[in-house]
């Protein structure tokens, strides 16, 4: 009986243990899931639209030319701050749990996500649930993502 194939497989498993392939697998899955959630969340995040106005250029080679400019809401803000405020961390570990964080540092992000009262308690503004909905959507495809990465690792081990 020829044991060369078994010896090769044993070497592959030993190499995988030394290179922490299991940890790399978990990290690859989490990174893909996190990036998908982040992309979907950014697409769902509303951007303020404050309209446009016509402006006549006063200096330079285009002097006198009329162009459209976006109106600023206040203090020069044009919108998109909330969308640009989404970030993702690398894979982190706490005990035996591996995780990533997706967060937004914009001060009003939680109000847009979950909803809030209007000024003077005159009603309620419904939340947009950009992150919540995105997480649920990607959660449904997590098994396929995990399977894809696991198959890649198994191919490396058995080839």
């Amino acid at each position: 009986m020829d044991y060369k194939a078994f010896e090769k497989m044993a070497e592959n498993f030993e190499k995988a243990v030394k290179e922490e392939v299991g940890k790399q697998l978990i990290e690859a899955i989490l990174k893909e899931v996190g990036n998908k959630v982040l992309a979907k969340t950014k697409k769902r995040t509303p951007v303020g639209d404050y309209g446009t106005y016509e402006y006549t250029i006063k200096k330079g080679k285009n002097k006198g030319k009329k162009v459209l400019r976006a109106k600023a809401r206040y203090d020069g803000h044009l919108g998109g701050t909330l969308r640009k405020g989404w970030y993702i961390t690398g894979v982190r570990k706490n005990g035996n749990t591996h995780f990533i964080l997706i967060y937004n540092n914009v001060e009003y992000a939680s109000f847009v996500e979950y909803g809030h009262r209007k000024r003077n308690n005159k009603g309620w503004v419904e939340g947009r649930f950009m992150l919540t909905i995105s997480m649920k959507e990607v959660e449904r495809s997590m098994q396929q993502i995990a399977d894809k990465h696991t198959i890649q690792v198994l191919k490396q081990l058995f080839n």
Side-chain angles (χ1 to χ4, degrees), residues 8-19:
K8 178 68 173 162
M9 186 175 66
E11 288 173 14
N12 288 345
F13 275 95
E14 190 175 320
K15 183 179 173 186
V17 170
K18 286 180 184 173
E19 294 176 359

Side-chain angles (χ1 to χ4, degrees), residues 69-97:
R69 282 198 168 169
K71 289 182 184 175
R73 189 172 98 211
Y74 60 90
D75 296 336
H77 293 286
L78 295 174
T81 303
L82 185 62
R83 183 175 286 177
K84 291 175 199 164
W86 289 108
Y87 298 96
I88 186 171
T89 65
V91 176
R92 296 180 178 185
K93 186 176 179 188
N94 185 6
N96 288 329
T97 303

Side-chain angles (χ1 to χ4, degrees), residues 50 73-75 107-108 111 115-126:
Y50 307 108
R73 189 172 98 211
Y74 60 90
D75 296 336
E107 63 185 87
Y108 54 87
F111 300 116
H116 60 89
R117 287 184 186 193
K118 291 182 180 180
R119 286 189 177 138
N120 300 323
N121 292 327
K122 303 264 187 210
W124 180 260
V125 175
E126 288 297 323

Side-chain angles (χ1 to χ4, degrees), residues 107-140:
E107 63 185 87
Y108 54 87
S110 63
F111 300 116
V112 178
E113 175 74 11
Y114 301 112
H116 60 89
R117 287 184 186 193
K118 291 182 180 180
R119 286 189 177 138
N120 300 323
N121 292 327
K122 303 264 187 210
W124 180 260
V125 175
E126 288 297 323
R128 300 295 288 267
F129 302 101
M130 304 89 58
L131 180 60
T132 304
I133 293 168
S134 298
M135 286 178 61
K136 287 180 182 178
E137 277 184 11
V138 174
E139 195 174 81
R140 290 191 286 266

